[in-house]
Amino acid sequence: MTNPFDSDGADPARKAFLVLVNTIGQHSLWPAHLQTPAGWPVALGPSRRAECMDFISRRPSPHHLTTALPAAA
């Protein structure tokens, strides 16, 4: 099985990515040829991987995630 996030494949459709965002503002890179998961609407795409990564890097990260997670038992 090949890695769906590998953009070096010969198929041009597999070189396109989406940026997804969940309800708390987390962004994720997602291969455009795969069905998007429930609860993650498309914020950008389809675009080249570099464009998607740039889009994600310019978005604020939900800072409350690091303090809202429960401590490991």
Side-chain angles (χ1 to χ4, degrees):
M1 180 176 187
T2 60
N3 182 343
F5 293 91
D6 182 6
S7 62
D8 295 332
D11 183 358
R14 294 181 184 264
K15 292 184 177 186
F17 292 89
L18 306 171
V19 174
L20 307 181
V21 63
N22 67 11
T23 57
I24 60 172
Q26 294 171 309
H27 290 81
S28 178
L29 181 68
W30 193 258
H33 67 277
L34 297 179
Q35 182 175 347
T36 58
W40 289 80
V42 176
L44 177 73
S47 300
R48 293 183 330 220
R49 181 185 180 112
E51 291 173 274
C52 290
M53 295 305 291
D54 182 56
F55 180 87
I56 292 170
S57 72
R58 290 184 281 116
R59 298 294 173 268
S61 177
H63 68 283
H64 63 279
L65 290 178
T66 57
T67 58
L69 296 175

